[in-house]
Amino acid sequence: MTRAEAADPPDDGARRTPDRLRRRASRLLSQLTARSDRLVNEGLARADARKWHYAVLASLQDFGPGSQAALSGRTGIYRSDMVGVLNELAERDLVERAPDPDDRRRNVITISARGRRHLRRLDKVLDDLHEELLAPLSPAERDQFVRLLTRLLDHHARTS
């Protein structure tokens, strides 16, 4: 059995996964994460974007301009990777770089008008993808699911 087959066994109507595995939240989250990543990455690629583009644009829109280091902290993108992401966004005129008036050795990154329009398009793309991902859940269950995931992440962020 290949790795792909193990991750996505054929659905022949029979439950092939042992109950003890189906009860493990870590396993379920891992499998859902893999499916979610695939769905989001493919959906954003069709919109000529990547998840890191969205993260940076959303951060700039919600929190305002920032340095490369600040954006790295806000988004969880490694500083070394942030350079490439910002280069891609700047090449598309989605962000603007300007010297920091307080420290000329670094730049301040700002979302451009074109970047705000692109972010709105990506919001719609992600809304549609999340509809697909969470289709089996009612709107109330979706809200509850997101609240529970947020609570878990917040807890583990405080303890790490």
Side-chain angles (χ1 to χ4, degrees), residues 63-80:
F63 298 113
S67 68
Q68 181 176 308
L71 288 170
S72 178
R74 292 178 193 170
T75 61
I77 301 171
Y78 291 115
R79 287 184 187 194
S80 57

Side-chain angles (χ1 to χ4, degrees), residues 3-111:
R3 208 176 168 148
E5 290 169 331
D8 279 330
D11 183 9
D12 61 3
R15 227 171 63 193
R16 301 174 122 186
T17 305
D19 283 341
R20 68 181 45 182
L21 293 178
R22 292 179 61 81
R23 291 190 308 260
R24 298 290 177 202
S26 58
R27 184 172 191 278
L28 296 171
L29 286 170
S30 178
Q31 288 185 317
L32 186 60
T33 296
R35 291 177 188 270
S36 174
D37 280 349
R38 188 174 340 125
L39 181 72
V40 168
N41 288 333
E42 289 171 1
L44 287 174
R46 287 190 299 271
D48 195 28
R50 296 185 309 135
K51 62 184 176 181
W52 299 129
H53 295 166
Y54 182 79
V56 169
L57 294 174
S59 173
L60 291 170
Q61 179 67 31
D62 290 357
F63 298 113
S67 68
Q68 181 176 308
L71 288 170
S72 178
R74 292 178 193 170
T75 61
I77 301 171
Y78 291 115
R79 287 184 187 194
S80 57
D81 295 332
M82 182 61 74
V83 174
V85 173
L86 292 176
N87 286 343
E88 291 171 6
L89 293 171
E91 286 170 9
R92 298 174 182 199
D93 296 322
L94 301 174
V95 298
E96 298 166 354
R97 290 179 170 142
D100 185 334
D102 297 328
D103 184 348
R104 308 289 290 176
R105 294 171 295 173
R106 68 180 184 188
N107 289 316
V108 173
I109 314 301
T110 307
I111 190 170

